[in-house]
Amino acid sequence: MLAATVRVSRDLDEAEEAVQDAYLQALERWARDGVPDRPGAWLTTVARRTALNGVRHREVLRRKLPLLVEPEAAEPPEPAGPIPDDRLRLVFTCCHPALAQEAQIALTLRLVCGVATADIAHAFLVPEPTMAARITRAKKKIAAASIPYAVPAAADLPARVSVVLTVVHLLFSAGHTAPTGTDLVRAELTARALDLARMLRALLPSDTEVAGLLALLLVHQARLRTRTDAAGRLLRLEDQDRARWDAELIAEAEGLVVEALKSGPPGRFSVQAAIAALHAQAPSYAETDWPQILTLYDVLLGLWPSPVVALNRAVALSMVDGPAAALAEVARLESDGRLAGYRYLPATKADLLHRLGRDAEAAEAYRAALELSDNAVEQEFLAARLVSV
Amino acid sequence: MAQYAVLIYERVPPEELPKEIMDRHLGLPELIASKGGKVTAGLALQPNETATAIRGDLVTDGPFVETKEVLAGVYLLEARDLDHALACAKLTPVVDGGVEVRPLIDFQVVPD
């Protein structure tokens, strides 16, 4: 509804107001005349009409003034893009590379997912007024810089889709392991991200990276409820009850992965999804196809040379060539310095040291990891590991 | 059409700009016009050393802001939207530096 309205008003604030106004009118009218057959369509029509009145009002004001610049057409033309969908236009507007990435995520949450500003602030660990100010600033830039309310032209689509996919992935990650707080998972955020990925998939059915991202999120979603035990304690992949993984979601993800890998050179989301799918297929942690996972990590590292990927690759390496080989890799990453402050580096190192029987050093590394974690569930897990070594 | 200032930041002083780059500067308005945009004005600035900054009553030698890149010129651009403006501004020839695109305040629009 907001997406359909903003196309008329071309102003996010005005569109939001028009939508709220439509709801108010609905409360009054529907109580009197009954609920219409298509309530959604009714609301959208009313909101769009209100927005159009606002636009006309502005136009009249403009005409009354001496003009140096040509006024814009009162009715904006239907934006021509490869995909005629209002929601997607709104997503692409929110994820414009001219906005800071944090603002992109916040706007997508606020305007596309309808998450309250207070909740977004909570997810980003900032006070609500700070987040409200950031969202306002981003909306202002959209208006002032005339960021188009459009899906980019076909030629520009691949570059812009990758921004959108990154934002959706970050949204999911923020829900998958909440950066702070007492709960490990924020199900609301993962559900919204999954909705967005499904929407993108419906609208861009031939984009392999869209298929890859959706597959990746589906596998993570399928395993979400087994990541903690009944008491809310964190369970490692090797300790999770695989029987409780959602087989339906995993099957759907596998279909998407196969499709993505068959149709040309893979992108990073497709490869990540393939790795996740291999984990999901394995009957147990020990029986995981580690050599193939290691190969996929090598491919991934080529596509996306990130130290985080290198760290995950080291874990796979430890299952193929043993913990000593992996420890050398981790030491290399540690001296690289880019992962200073990344809690999974000392946590991984601790596990490898423990497997090598070097428990004193393992304890030291667990303590370092513990210091870097702000999530209560993770802290408890690390503290328990520390005691056990 | 929306209006933008395109600020050209360059580390190479104007007198040392290669001839090929100068020629491309001269042809820029035409090139942008062929993309549907319009250059309505342009300014090429003398080097940083010629600048004088005034802050209150204090007059000092040099530019207001010291950066590695120097503001070398500005032009005014009319474009449909930011994407169009960015596509046009990308055509600006630069040896070592870049351009900044700033939307201009439209004084004709009266807020409701």
Side-chain angles (χ1 to χ4, degrees):
Chain A
M1 211 168 117
L2 179 68
T5 309
V6 78
R7 195 169 76 216
V8 176
S9 76
R10 298 219 273 185
D11 182 291
L12 289 166
D13 285 325
E14 265 183 37
E16 277 188 301
E17 261 173 47
V19 168
Q20 276 167 17
D21 191 59
Y23 275 110
L24 284 178
Q25 288 190 44
L27 281 177
E28 204 176 289
R29 287 277 298 278
W30 296 0
R32 194 178 68 220
D33 307 335
V35 178
D37 290 338
R38 293 167 59 223
W42 190 95
L43 284 166
T44 305
T45 307
V46 171
R48 285 179 60 124
R49 201 186 302 136
T50 309
L52 194 57
N53 283 340
V55 171
R56 293 217 170 104
H57 181 60
R58 269 195 317 223
E59 289 303 316
V60 169
L61 272 178
R62 275 192 185 204
R63 272 195 290 274
K64 284 181 181 161
L65 293 160
L67 281 183
L68 295 172
V69 216
E70 264 179 65
E72 283 165 29
E75 282 258 23
E78 288 286 304
I83 305 119
D85 185 282
D86 280 329
R87 286 166 307 169
L88 198 61
R89 283 195 195 106
L90 194 53
V91 172
F92 275 100
T93 305
C94 293
C95 295
H96 196 283
L99 300 172
Q101 191 170 61
E102 198 184 15
Q104 292 177 24
I105 304 172
L107 271 184
T108 305
L109 278 171
R110 177 75 202 93
L111 299 177
V112 184
C113 309
V115 178
T117 304
D119 292 340
I120 301 172
H122 188 63
F124 277 101
L125 320 168
V126 296
E128 190 184 342
T130 308
M131 184 47 74
R134 277 182 204 166
I135 290 176
T136 305
R137 212 180 305 134
K139 284 198 222 167
K140 209 171 153 188
K141 180 159 183 186
I142 289 175
S146 295
I147 288 180
Y149 173 58
V151 175
D156 302 324
L157 205 49
R160 290 288 301 280
V161 167
S162 79
V163 178
V164 173
L165 292 180
T166 304
V167 166
V168 174
H169 187 229
L170 288 170
L171 272 184
F172 190 92
S173 305
H176 185 261
T177 303
T180 58
T182 50
D183 295 322
L184 186 68
V185 171
R186 293 218 179 99
E188 187 195 72
L189 294 186
T190 64
R192 304 270 189 196
L194 202 53
D195 279 350
L196 275 179
R198 283 197 186 282
M199 191 176 100
L200 283 164
R201 167 73 182 161
L203 296 159
L204 297 167
S206 57
D207 189 303
T208 55
E209 276 294 86
V210 170
L213 176 71
L214 177 56
L216 179 63
L217 301 195
L218 284 170
V219 177
H220 282 308
Q221 187 74 16
R223 303 191 306 213
L224 211 54
R225 61 184 169 199
T226 63
R227 291 182 64 229
T228 48
D229 65 10
R233 281 188 297 260
L234 181 66
L235 292 174
R236 293 178 299 176
L237 188 57
E238 53 189 293
D239 301 325
Q240 291 176 12
D241 178 3
R242 290 172 183 242
R244 285 180 60 227
W245 287 352
D246 189 325
E248 215 170 291
L249 292 185
I250 290 170
E252 189 187 350
E254 281 168 0
L256 288 165
V257 168
V258 171
E259 187 196 309
L261 294 182
K262 268 206 300 208
S263 42
R268 75 165 169 108
F269 288 121
S270 306
V271 178
Q272 281 179 277
I275 293 170
L278 273 179
H279 277 298
Q281 282 162 2
S284 70
Y285 189 72
E287 288 169 273
T288 306
D289 187 348
W290 291 108
Q292 204 183 336
I293 286 184
L294 186 59
T295 307
L296 284 169
Y297 268 118
D298 288 334
V299 175
L300 184 58
L301 208 51
L303 289 168
W304 187 33
S306 129
V308 172
V309 174
L311 181 65
N312 287 324
R313 183 189 168 276
V315 175
L317 183 70
S318 79
M319 299 305 287
V320 178
D321 290 346
L327 194 60
E329 275 297 299
V330 172
R332 201 178 53 76
L333 280 167
E334 207 173 13
S335 60
D336 168 284
R338 276 181 297 170
L339 288 183
Y342 187 67
R343 60 196 186 278
Y344 296 118
L345 189 137
T348 305
K349 189 178 163 190
D351 184 58
L352 295 171
L353 286 165
H354 174 57
R355 279 160 64 188
L356 288 166
R358 290 156 64 177
D359 279 355
E361 290 163 88
E364 187 67 28
Y366 274 126
R367 269 190 286 271
L370 201 50
E371 238 167 68
L372 292 171
S373 177
D374 283 325
N375 182 292
V377 176
E378 256 183 12
Q379 284 171 346
E380 197 188 335
F381 168 81
L382 291 166
R385 297 291 302 161
L386 178 57
V387 172
S388 75
V389 295
Chain B
M1 297 279 265
Q3 290 191 300
Y4 301 87
V6 180
L7 288 72
I8 306 168
Y9 287 88
E10 181 70 89
R11 287 169 90 159
V12 176
E15 63 274 16
E16 283 172 33
L17 280 181
K19 182 174 182 307
E20 190 257 337
I21 294 287
M22 275 313 295
D23 290 346
R24 278 168 60 196
H25 270 296
L26 296 175
L28 188 62
E30 206 176 320
L31 186 59
I32 284 177
S34 76
K35 304 279 176 200
K38 189 176 170 192
V39 175
T40 53
L43 306 168
L45 307 186
Q46 291 285 357
N48 255 8
E49 305 86 79
T50 65
T52 309
I54 305 170
R55 194 193 294 261
D57 289 334
L58 187 67
V59 176
T60 50
D61 176 42
F64 206 83
V65 182
E66 287 277 9
T67 56
K68 270 185 273 178
E69 286 92 7
V70 167
L71 181 60
V74 183
Y75 64 91
L76 299 185
L77 173 68
E78 283 184 10
R80 286 189 301 277
D81 52 43
L82 184 67
D83 284 353
H84 187 211
L86 297 181
C88 290
K90 268 188 193 149
L91 303 170
T92 314
V94 174
V95 181
D96 186 8
V99 299
E100 178 180 317
V101 178
R102 279 279 190 103
L104 298 184
I105 292 171
D106 180 358
F107 289 108
Q108 275 73 48
V109 177
V110 174
D112 302 54

